Amino acid sequence: MNCAISGEVPVEPVVSKKSGLLYEKRLIETHISDFGKCPVTGEPHTIDDIVAIKTGKIVKPKPLHTASIPGLLGTFQTEWDSLMLSNFSLEQQLHTARQELSHALYQHDAACRVIARLKKERDEARQLLAETERQLPAASEVATANATLSNGKRAAEDGEQGPDAKKMRFGISGEVITELTDCNAALSQQRKKRQIPPTLASVDALEKFTQLSSHPLHKTSKPGIFSMDILHSKDVIATGGIDTTAVLFDRPSGQILSTLTGHSKKVTSIKFVGDTDLVLTASSDKTVRIWGSSEDGNYACRHTLKDHTAEVRAVTVHATNKYFVSASLDSTWCFYDMSSGLCLAQVTDDTEKVDYTAAAFHPDGLILGTGTAQSIVKIWDVKSQANVAKFDGHTGEITSVSFSENGYFLATSALDGVRLWDLRKLKNFRTFDFPNANSVEFDHSGSYLGIAASDIRVFQTASVKAEWNPVKTLPDLSGTGRATCVKFGPDAKYVAVGSMDRNLRIFGLPSNDSTEDSAQDS
């Protein structure tokens, strides 16, 4: 029996009390709920007018197309075609999604490049504005002076502009030259009356030097102390590290006073500015920074100088403490005003291209000594920025230059060792064969010479013809086999050594020997 509505055998058969017709339960219930009458006779009906019929389980016959092998193959073919069409559609959607993602990533990358370029232009504009503001006070002072270009040549016409306005320099004015000359005269007179202080450590005392302390000042991840300076009046030691930081260390208390952070690469040179609260640092990031102490005792960067285009290897302070020089691998050295951070002159040698690796002022302040990567030592007249002497003979890069306090001797270190030069006759009078010499330094009195190489050697200075006797050999206790810098403390009472580990080492008299020597002096 079939359903009166669908014509198929009902799964849940029901019969109408009024019409006696057979229906599928779900179909008749839906029709009655929607229309309230019999779908065949049209008589009014309710759900109560239908009665369920109990029957056995009905098995539906298989469709005709599945009853034979060709029918089954046709069904499978239809399903396969449907699957392939669905897969093709998904591949099309995936390809479209990939194209949209690639386009979105390209737009994002282009936007990032535009943002980075805009930020760079903004920073350059800010830096140019800051330099302009620093130059405005100095412009009025040097407007009447004969302005010189960065190579020391005079400008052809007033108001002549170079191809790059940032490269134009005001030059060292007559007023500055007068100040340098007066300082030179005063220091020369004092030097003639100079006597070795009675408190200077004796040769016997230096022979007893041993390591007193070791201080881990820099990071273990990037060990290495590359430069050092000592403020004798306060007995404070400054170190510049490969970890991009500079550290100010109070030796008597053994405490770190301040850590200067701001450079992005290793600190290649560090100098105190006399007894002031200023510190200079040079770095491989092509910048020089001027640091000053604040009320809380910490140091903050007051000026960041970006006049060089390559790694800055050295800074040296003039005796007036108002000016300083930086030397760089970009083949130039710059003469700066300390207070404003203004570059007054940027000097290069037109006769030959050399990269400057070291620099130091003569004690009188009118002569500048520079070392180069081409093994040449050059002596400059600061007033005219002219190269007045050149010393050949080294092999390898010049790593350090140091003038003796008597003003007559110049010591230079390089990969082949240390050479001593007589500035009066402009010739080499003594050579120390210490391979890979990294630093050479006269003490403040000019009585001792320190050399840092695979170990640390201390010599007693003498005349040109007399022998320079070795006083003490201090071992490099870092285990790296490379001492990078050496400095004498006040009155040569101790020797500070930096190496390629992160420790600052102090060598001096043990406490017992120090007490005995003090009693003998008294």
Side-chain angles (χ1 to χ4, degrees):
M1 298 180 68
N2 297 331
C3 173
I5 297 176
S6 64
E8 296 180 355
V9 177
V11 177
E12 295 183 54
V14 293
V15 65
S16 172
K17 296 178 181 179
K18 295 183 177 181
S19 62
L21 297 173
L22 184 70
Y23 300 100
E24 177 69 52
K25 181 178 180 181
R26 59 183 179 81
L27 297 179
I28 189 62
E29 286 181 348
T30 301
H31 189 82
I32 292 174
S33 62
D34 291 340
F35 302 102
K37 59 182 179 180
C38 177
V40 178
T41 62
E43 297 178 2
H45 271 65
T46 64
I47 298 299
D48 297 333
D49 292 331
I50 59 176
V51 178
I53 299 175
K54 293 181 179 181
T55 61
K57 185 176 181 181
I58 299 174
V59 179
K60 292 184 178 180
K62 294 182 179 179
L64 182 62
H65 64 273
T66 61
S68 63
I69 292 177
L72 289 172
L73 292 177
T75 300
F76 292 155
Q77 183 65 47
T78 302
E79 291 294 332
W80 174 258
D81 294 342
S82 176
L83 179 61
M84 290 298 101
L85 288 174
S86 176
N87 186 57
F88 177 75
S89 177
L90 289 175
E91 288 182 350
Q92 289 289 91
Q93 293 176 9
L94 177 60
H95 180 67
T96 302
R98 283 178 174 174
Q99 287 183 328
E100 292 176 352
L101 178 60
S102 176
H103 184 65
L105 291 175
Y106 174 79
Q107 288 183 325
H108 178 267
D109 184 56
C112 290
R113 289 198 299 269
V114 171
I115 292 172
R117 179 174 56 83
L118 291 176
K119 286 184 176 180
K120 181 179 179 182
E121 292 177 355
R122 180 201 64 187
D123 294 340
E124 290 178 350
R126 287 179 176 175
Q127 179 65 23
L128 183 58
L129 178 60
E131 292 181 359
T132 304
E133 290 175 348
R134 290 202 305 266
Q135 293 171 5
L136 285 178
S140 59
E141 299 177 3
V142 300
T144 57
N146 293 322
T148 57
L149 298 179
S150 61
N151 59 3
K153 297 180 180 179
R154 297 191 180 278
E157 299 290 343
D158 293 340
E160 179 181 349
Q161 298 295 323
D164 187 350
K166 293 196 295 183
K167 297 298 180 183
M168 297 295 292
R169 309 299 181 196
F170 290 110
I172 302 177
S173 66
E175 181 181 348
V176 174
I177 292 176
T178 300
E179 189 174 4
L180 300 182
T181 305
D182 292 343
C183 177
N184 172 74
L187 292 176
S188 297
Q189 289 296 325
Q190 294 176 10
R191 185 162 289 104
K192 294 178 181 179
K193 303 176 183 179
R194 181 183 64 89
Q195 294 182 351
I196 296 177
T199 55
L200 182 71
S202 64
V203 173
D204 292 338
L206 264 71
E207 290 176 347
K208 300 177 183 178
F209 274 16
T210 185
Q211 179 173 310
L212 301 180
S213 59
S214 177
H215 309 278
L217 303 184
H218 292 270
K219 298 177 181 177
T220 55
S221 58
K222 293 182 178 181
I225 296 176
F226 210 78
S227 56
M228 184 193 307
D229 196 21
I230 299 178
L231 181 58
H232 286 186
S233 61
K234 299 179 181 179
D235 206 358
V236 175
I237 303 175
T239 60
I242 296 179
D243 61 358
T244 74
T245 66
V247 177
L248 302 185
F249 175 75
D250 182 60
R251 191 196 67 84
S253 66
Q255 300 295 320
I256 294 177
L257 300 179
S258 183
T259 300
L260 315 183
T261 58
H263 285 294
S264 59
K265 294 184 179 180
K266 67 181 179 183
V267 178
T268 55
S269 182
I270 187 167
K271 291 292 180 183
F272 286 106
V273 183
D275 290 332
T276 67
D277 62 346
L278 298 179
V279 177
L280 302 178
T281 57
S283 172
S284 296
D285 63 8
K286 308 176 186 178
T287 67
V288 175
R289 288 177 179 255
I290 303 176
W291 307 81
S293 65
S294 54
E295 295 179 356
D296 59 359
N298 292 322
Y299 277 70
C301 181
R302 295 186 179 179
H303 297 288
T304 301
L305 312 177
K306 301 180 179 180
D307 298 284
H308 289 291
T309 58
E311 178 179 338
V312 185
R313 280 293 189 87
V315 287
T316 178
V317 181
H318 188 266
T320 59
N321 294 325
K322 295 181 179 180
Y323 309 99
F324 71 93
V325 162
S326 63
S328 169
L329 295 182
D330 65 1
S331 302
T332 67
W333 57 267
C334 292
F335 185 90
Y336 287 96
D337 175 70
M338 186 76 69
S339 60
S340 64
L342 177 65
C343 179
L344 301 181
Q346 188 165 13
V347 182
T348 185
D349 191 346
D350 294 332
T351 61
E352 59 181 336
K353 184 180 183 302
V354 291
D355 303 324
Y356 297 105
T357 56
F361 271 112
H362 186 274
D364 292 342
L366 288 184
I367 295 177
L368 176 72
T370 58
T372 68
Q374 288 73 26
S375 310
I376 300 172
V377 179
K378 292 195 171 190
I379 307 299
W380 301 81
D381 178 11
V382 178
K383 294 188 295 182
S384 62
Q385 301 99 61
N387 180 211
V388 296
K390 183 170 67 172
F391 298 145
D392 298 317
H394 272 296
T395 301
E397 177 182 300
I398 307 297
T399 55
S400 177
V401 296
S402 178
F403 287 96
S404 173
E405 182 61 24
N406 63 17
Y408 300 146
F409 302 144
L410 171 66
T412 58
S413 63
L415 298 181
D416 62 342
V418 173
R419 289 176 179 261
L420 300 179
W421 311 87
D422 185 353
L423 297 177
R424 295 164 293 186
K425 297 183 179 180
L426 300 179
K427 68 176 184 178
N428 170 231
F429 68 90
R430 186 159 278 98
T431 300
F432 299 109
D433 294 326
F434 298 130
N436 298 317
N438 297 306
S439 178
V440 61
E441 185 76 19
F442 284 101
D443 80 302
H444 192 63
S445 69
S447 302
Y448 301 109
L449 177 71
I451 301 173
S454 58
D455 53 20
I456 302 91
R457 308 288 180 96
V458 179
F459 289 83
Q460 184 180 18
T461 61
S463 63
V464 173
K465 295 182 179 180
E467 189 68 26
W468 292 47
N469 297 318
V471 177
K472 183 68 175 179
T473 298
L474 303 171
D476 174 32
L477 300 177
S478 68
T480 62
R482 183 183 175 190
T484 55
C485 44
V486 57
K487 291 284 183 180
F488 290 93
D491 293 329
K493 295 295 186 184
Y494 65 85
V495 175
V497 176
S499 302
M500 286 307 292
D501 64 350
R502 67 192 190 110
N503 294 318
L504 167 68
R505 290 178 170 82
I506 306 297
F507 293 85
L509 276 177
S511 57
N512 293 338
D513 293 332
S514 178
T515 304
E516 292 175 2
D517 287 351
S518 299
Q520 292 175 2
D521 293 340
S522 61

